[in-house]
Amino acid sequence: MTYQDTLKYLDSLVDYEKTSNFDYKKSLKLERMMSFSARLGDPHKNIKAIHVAGTKGKGSVSSFVNSILMEAGYRVGLYTSPNLVSFRERIRINGVPISEEDVARLMEKMIPRIETMEKEEERPTYFETCTMIAFLYFKENSVDFIVLETGMGGRLDSTNVVNPLVSVITPVSYDHIKHLGTVIEDIASEKCGIIKNNSVVVSSSQVPDALAVIKRVASEKNAKFYLAGKDSFCKKIHSDLDRQTFSLITKCGEYPHLEVKLLGDFQIGNAATAVLAIEGLRHYGIFVDKSAVSAGLLNARWPGRFEILRKKPFIIVDGAQNGQSAFILKKTVKDNLKYGKLLLILGIMSDKDVENICRELSSIADYVITTKSGSDRAASPEFLRERMLHYKNIDVVTTGSVREALDKALAMADKNDAILVTGSLYVVGEAMEALVK
């Protein structure tokens, strides 16, 4: 089997990342993933895991935790989704993506089990199969830790077969409301499905309704609970377009000078959550030096999250996928950039918080180009144009692809302007791919 054969086979599987037309509670089945894993020797067992769920920041927190553990000398597997450009981005060991050969080899090993499951029960989904490739790869390579980012929700997510040392809940807000629920308590409850008995739970700062659910579930599971903002205190010292500096105080000590290269105030909060997760490992006799924490935060990378790809004009990409993320993105742009006019390239998945994203971003846009990714879940550019015009009387044009939108924006922009590409990580990924070709 070649790597391209593998990608084609994966594309033949049901992929809930690319469609919104499914019943969440009936379609996502943890029992199916457990059966799949058992047929392959349960490769996820007996590996120390940090499991991360939430609406915003879970990828960044995962990246920070991964980087800190690497700096501490551990061999670390990182599993994230979706990928921006290459499938291989999803599965890494010590920062190195899985090879094409290993992807193909592991898939070839799995196909007989998948075909047997199709006959006896149900074929695994795209995401379940990706997760199993990661588990097999991490076990083969004898990693010391795995850092797992959930896909959708948490309770029914295929990553939830693990029994983690630390469960992390990043900020909870409205996302996948068609599947996870229309009220924060319901969404938080799904995210909290990753919390296991007698473990450690770390939460970012939360809105009150989400926090109440997280605290209740942690108590029910007899889990040790740490809350950023209560069990830690951070203060921003300085920021520019290269890095941010801040101090952090936790119950375990003080970090007077920490730096991150990821931009935006929200990344300081993500970094603080990651440090609490690392400190949570102390409950298992695992101590990480402060020097590793400092180096890990500084060296962490997480592409596509308020990332400046070019200057003169600025080209910024960010995967803001709900109203709260759009609000934070708007503030980050205004606080960090000086520009003439802002050209907004906007593409959003149809099951996302379209109204609030459009409302928030309309206020900073001088010109809007709506577009769509190649995903079947993408909202139509015409619909996005209509929603943007509802919030602001502004020039809005539609395009059929991200590349076309970029070409149009670059033709219009002066060197002192800013082009902001956002709304969906799929759009961000296609923009990044187009800019390197």
Side-chain angles (χ1 to χ4, degrees):
M1 227 179 162
T2 68
Y3 177 65
Q4 291 305 319
D5 291 336
T6 299
L7 296 184
K8 288 178 182 178
Y9 187 88
L10 280 168
D11 286 341
S12 75
L13 302 174
V14 174
D15 187 356
Y16 296 125
E17 290 181 3
K18 294 183 178 179
T19 179
S20 59
N21 187 26
F22 66 95
D23 187 314
Y24 168 74
K25 293 182 179 179
K26 291 181 179 179
S27 300
L28 274 66
K29 300 176 182 178
L30 200 56
E31 295 83 2
R32 182 174 58 229
M33 183 63 184
M34 293 171 68
S35 173
F36 189 22
S37 184
R39 293 169 188 267
L40 287 156
D42 287 325
H44 65 282
K45 290 188 175 180
N46 302 316
I47 299 179
K48 299 181 182 71
I50 295 91
H51 202 185
V52 184
T55 306
K56 306 188 302 294
K58 59 183 179 176
S60 297
V61 170
S62 297
S63 181
F64 282 130
V65 170
N66 171 72
S67 186
I68 292 169
L69 289 172
M70 284 171 52
E71 292 292 342
Y74 293 107
R75 188 168 175 80
V76 191
L78 175 65
Y79 179 60
T80 59
S81 62
N83 53 278
L84 294 177
V85 177
S86 168
F87 172 85
R88 297 170 53 229
E89 299 168 24
R90 295 173 179 245
I91 303 168
R92 300 171 183 262
I93 293 179
N94 279 19
V96 180
I98 185 172
S99 70
E100 293 184 358
E101 292 76 15
D102 281 325
V103 173
R105 177 180 56 80
L106 291 171
M107 176 58 78
E108 200 162 21
K109 178 180 180 179
M110 293 162 56
I111 285 178
R113 277 78 168 183
I114 293 173
E115 291 176 348
T116 300
M117 285 186 69
E118 185 173 18
K119 294 174 184 176
E120 296 180 356
E121 42 184 315
E122 245 182 325
R123 274 210 309 178
T125 66
Y126 177 95
F127 190 71
E128 288 165 354
T129 305
C130 294
T131 305
M132 190 55 61
I133 293 173
F135 286 150
L136 289 169
Y137 186 61
F138 295 152
K139 182 178 181 179
E140 279 187 356
N141 286 275
S142 302
V143 298
D144 299 307
F145 289 94
I146 56 174
V147 181
L148 299 170
E149 178 192 5
T150 60
M152 182 185 297
R155 181 175 64 92
L156 300 178
D157 193 75
S158 66
T159 60
N160 201 29
V161 295
V162 299
N163 189 21
L165 301 180
V166 180
S167 300
V168 181
I169 311 295
T170 65
V172 176
S173 61
Y174 293 101
D175 192 23
H176 297 295
I177 56 177
K178 179 179 178 181
H179 307 301
L180 303 183
T182 57
V183 295
I184 286 293
E185 293 93 335
D186 290 342
I187 298 171
S189 181
E190 289 297 319
K191 308 291 186 184
C192 286
I194 71 168
I195 297 174
K196 303 299 192 301
N197 291 326
N198 305 309
S199 62
V200 174
V201 179
V202 171
S203 173
S204 301
S205 296
Q206 303 284 354
V207 297
D209 289 343
L211 179 58
V213 173
I214 298 168
K215 291 173 71 173
R216 173 178 58 77
V217 175
S219 177
E220 291 171 353
K221 298 290 186 179
N222 193 35
K224 187 72 175 177
F225 180 65
Y226 293 94
L227 176 64
K230 178 177 180 294
D231 297 301
S232 66
F233 174 77
C234 59
K235 182 179 180 181
K236 181 177 175 180
I237 298 171
H238 173 75
S239 68
D240 53 38
L241 293 182
D242 294 317
R243 65 185 62 190
Q244 302 186 92
T245 307
F246 65 102
S247 62
L248 176 67
I249 300 173
T250 72
K251 291 184 176 181
C252 295
E254 297 186 14
Y255 304 83
H257 185 92
L258 295 172
E259 293 180 300
V260 293
K261 291 183 179 177
L262 278 64
L263 302 180
D265 290 351
F266 60 97
Q267 293 294 6
I268 293 177
N270 290 334
T273 298
V275 174
L276 280 183
I278 291 294
E279 292 184 346
L281 294 173
R282 295 181 177 214
H283 288 273
Y284 306 95
I286 301 167
F287 294 83
V288 174
D289 289 340
K290 289 184 178 180
S291 60
V293 171
S294 179
L297 293 181
L298 178 61
N299 293 325
R301 300 290 182 273
W302 193 231
R305 281 71 175 181
F306 200 77
E307 184 176 6
I308 299 173
L309 300 180
R310 290 186 189 176
K311 299 178 180 179
K312 296 183 179 181
F314 284 116
I315 300 180
I316 311 104
V317 293
D318 185 89
Q321 302 184 82
N322 62 33
Q324 181 63 20
S325 294
F327 171 79
I328 293 170
L329 172 59
K330 176 177 69 174
K331 183 178 185 301
T332 304
V333 168
K334 292 165 70 175
D335 290 349
N336 289 275
L337 299 180
K338 293 182 179 180
Y339 53 87
K341 61 179 181 292
L342 187 138
L343 291 78
L344 175 66
I345 296 177
L346 185 66
I348 309 174
M349 293 300 185
S350 59
D351 61 336
K352 297 294 184 177
D353 190 8
V354 173
E355 291 298 325
N356 287 320
I357 294 172
C358 290
R359 186 189 72 240
E360 294 292 350
L361 296 180
S362 63
S363 64
I364 61 169
D366 296 297
Y367 193 90
V368 180
I369 304 170
T370 61
T371 191
K372 66 189 294 293
S373 69
S375 171
D376 294 339
R377 285 170 50 209
S380 74
E382 292 74 22
F383 174 69
L384 296 180
R385 178 180 187 275
E386 173 192 320
R387 299 324 302 154
M388 288 299 295
L389 289 172
H390 175 76
Y391 291 106
K392 188 175 185 180
N393 184 16
I394 190 174
D395 286 333
V396 183
V397 299
T398 62
T399 58
S401 71
V402 175
R403 181 178 291 275
E404 182 187 352
L406 273 171
D407 289 342
K408 189 175 289 291
L410 287 167
M412 294 176 56
D414 294 328
K415 65 179 182 179
N416 63 332
D417 291 336
I419 298 170
L420 174 62
V421 184
T422 190
S424 163
L425 281 174
Y426 291 97
V427 168
V428 166
E430 290 182 22
M432 294 173 72
E433 189 171 20
L435 287 167
V436 299
K437 289 184 177 180

